[in-house]
Amino acid sequence: MDKAALWQRYQDWLWYDAGLGIALDISRMRFDRSFVTSMQPKFERAFADMQALEGGAIANPDEGRMVGHYWLRAPELAPSDNLKQAIVSRIEKVKAFALQIHGGELCPPEAESFSDLISIGIGGSALGPEFVEQALAAVNPPLHTHFIDNTDPAGIDKVIASVGDRLKSTLVLVTSKSGGTPETYNGMMEVQLAFAARGLSFAPHAVAITGEGSKLHRKATSEGWLATFPMYDWIGGRTSELSVVGLLPAALQGIDIQGMLDGARAMDVLTRVPLINRNPAALLSMSWYYACNGKGEKDMVVLPYKDSLSLLSRYLQQLVMESLGKESDLDGNIVHQGIAVYGNKGSTDQHAYVQQLREGVPNFFATFIEVLVDRVGDSPEIEPGATAGDYLSGFLQGTRSALYENGRDSITITLPDVNPQVVGAILALYERAVSFYASLTNINAYHQPGVEAGKKAAASILTLQKQLVEALKSASGPLSLAKVAAAAGAPDDVEAAYIILRHLSANERGVVLEGDLGKPSTLRASWQNEG
């Protein structure tokens, strides 16, 4: 296509909203008008599904619950007055609590005010808050925030060490709907033990975001934690950033959470328009459908050209892959749906994997995120007529052109700046696009049986670990892996026994392994009594 025709196509498919200052360009996706026409019936259903979802329809039949993250920024749409009032009151409680912390009205026993925040969560309870912190937090925020988002002991140690003597002035935020999520529970217990080791009382520093009546709620109540905030059962982790889960840590960091809500609300209005070419989420999901042939045949590469948005690809990884990665469709057919998401920031990618994107396997489509404002204040010229921001813009345009010229499709989202309204709008845009794509492909975006299967498998491994330890303690001498597995009641799980015992041995947890780790059949395991 020549430049004149491409320029016309750009104008034909450019979506722009003056209120938010956000633009969406899908002109470098090679669909034609006949494809758009063929998608019309699917979108009529998608628009109807979305209307039902916002009206309170049961979206997750596995749990019999609604999915109403859209009500968080438009409480008047909630299906009952009680729910509307609860949404409003909880947002006000978040704002009031943050003001009390910032003003020193709520302070730790050992200091005049809180200086740091440790946020403990997993999945959506961590990815959203981490993305927003990097995107919007000031260089010197009211509370310096540290995240524990894994059950990695070395990672937890690093967070505790980075806080150091300021632990006495650190607020700890624990987020878990059930209170039984192992990763979050482990992080909480490690931090609680760190407080005890320094002679500090944990409860006056601790805040829980959890389901009412959950294990965590009972613990926080019985121990007299500083505060508890309830989680809604109709909000999934991957869409929880604009609930208390994301708003509380953001507010504590001094981020304008009302601005985020306002931006999401504005985008929700724009993505309710039941016309494909006037609805940015419809255009986005249609482009995904085209690129992936409605079957997840290509990956989504997210390339934000702004350091503050470098965690966007990780956030979208969960939102898109957990929502769309499904084995069966709504009719019970095996479809293996999904879109793999990965990414890194530009222009880092000019020196990383753009070479493969341009000349390697064409198994992807790219999403460029452009930010118009370079920085606060003027930019110096690093050479006559050019600033560092000019180079960044040039790299984006050059990469986009290079990919298109070599048959690689791309989408470009242009943002005026990185501010609370824009971040809220982008969160809402992708939430809606995921819902539309799920409707287009006839899957349920709001259940995650694969995640639950992984949790159950992990629990069974820990149960086997206890059985292996008991078997070794009871043995009269060293046992082969096969014999210790059999003694533990799991004769078919020799491989799992090897991996578990190897881990315990490496950490000097009482297991002694003799033999060649590279030849597991030679190993003999025994228990070394303490002392």
Side-chain angles (χ1 to χ4, degrees), residues 198-484:
R198 290 163 175 77
L200 301 171
S201 177
F202 181 67
H205 297 251
V207 178
I209 302 177
T210 187
E212 293 182 332
S214 72
K215 178 181 178 181
L216 177 58
H217 184 263
R218 295 193 299 272
K219 177 180 175 66
T221 301
S222 65
E223 294 179 2
W225 285 21
L226 181 62
T228 60
F229 289 81
M231 294 177 75
Y232 301 107
D233 62 2
W234 41 266
I235 298 291
R238 56 192 176 278
T239 56
S240 64
E241 176 54 31
L242 295 177
S243 73
V244 174
V245 170
L247 296 180
L248 182 55
L252 289 169
Q253 294 165 61
I255 294 169
D256 175 14
I257 62 171
Q258 189 59 54
M260 291 172 61
L261 290 167
D262 290 346
R265 180 188 180 98
M267 182 57 75
D268 284 343
V269 172
L270 296 167
T271 55
R272 289 191 188 105
V273 177
L275 298 170
I276 297 174
N277 65 340
R278 291 178 53 195
N279 184 319
L283 291 170
L284 203 54
S285 59
M286 183 185 73
S287 299
W288 298 353
Y289 192 97
Y290 169 78
C292 299
N293 197 25
K295 300 175 183 177
E297 292 179 356
K298 290 189 177 181
D299 301 339
M300 182 191 305
V301 181
V302 180
L303 305 172
Y305 277 66
K306 203 69 173 176
D307 286 359
S308 61
L309 298 179
S310 63
L311 290 182
L312 179 60
S313 59
R314 285 187 61 206
Y315 173 80
L316 292 179
Q317 234 171 22
Q318 182 185 21
L319 177 64
V320 174
M321 295 178 71
E322 190 171 344
S323 298
L324 302 182
K326 302 296 159 63
E327 181 178 60
S328 303
D329 67 12
L330 293 173
D331 299 321
N333 301 310
I334 302 299
V335 292
H336 296 295
Q337 271 289 354
I339 302 176
V341 179
Y342 62 94
N344 196 4
K345 67 184 180 182
S347 64
T348 300
D349 300 291
Q350 313 303 133
H351 306 278
Y353 52 75
V354 165
Q355 170 64 32
Q356 176 167 317
L357 296 185
R358 188 173 191 276
E359 298 184 6
V361 183
N363 62 343
F364 72 94
F365 64 98
T367 300
F368 295 98
I369 310 293
E370 176 186 26
V371 178
L372 294 179
V373 174
D374 289 337
R375 58 154 49 103
V376 177
D378 296 332
S379 287
E381 292 188 354
I382 55 174
E383 61 182 55
T387 68
D390 295 338
Y391 270 91
L392 190 65
S393 178
F395 284 137
L396 187 156
Q397 294 179 59
T399 304
R400 174 174 172 267
S401 296
L403 293 183
Y404 185 77
E405 289 168 1
N406 222 29
R408 275 72 165 152
D409 288 345
S410 69
I411 297 163
T412 301
I413 297 175
T414 300
L415 311 177
D417 197 357
V418 180
N419 59 50
Q421 290 80 9
V422 165
V423 168
I426 287 298
L427 295 176
L429 172 63
Y430 274 95
E431 287 172 355
R432 187 85 60 165
V434 162
S435 290
F436 282 153
Y437 188 88
S439 292
L440 297 177
T441 54
N442 194 38
I443 60 171
N444 187 337
Y446 298 106
H447 70 153
Q448 48 278 342
V451 175
E452 299 306 316
K455 291 179 181 178
K456 291 177 182 177
S460 70
I461 290 295
L462 291 174
T463 298
L464 177 58
Q465 177 173 305
K466 294 177 183 178
Q467 295 167 342
L468 291 167
V469 168
E470 290 304 316
L472 288 179
K473 287 181 176 179
S474 301
S476 58
L479 298 176
S480 68
L481 294 178
K483 287 185 177 180
V484 72

Side-chain angles (χ1 to χ4, degrees), residues 19-53:
L20 289 169
I22 295 176
L24 171 64
D25 161 36
I26 61 169
S27 66
R28 266 51 174 184
M29 306 296 290
R30 288 174 169 80
F31 59 83
D32 56 23
R33 290 285 179 180
S34 64
F35 171 77
V36 179
T37 300
S38 72
M39 294 297 295
Q40 189 62 44
K42 291 181 179 291
F43 270 104
E44 288 175 3
R45 173 186 168 181
F47 292 138
D49 287 347
M50 181 59 66
Q51 189 174 19
L53 185 73

Side-chain angles (χ1 to χ4, degrees), residues 468 472 481 484 496-506 511 513 525:
L468 291 167
L472 288 179
L481 294 178
V484 72
Y498 166 63
I499 295 171
I500 291 169
L501 296 176
R502 182 180 63 182
H503 174 252
L504 293 176
S505 175
V511 173
L513 290 178

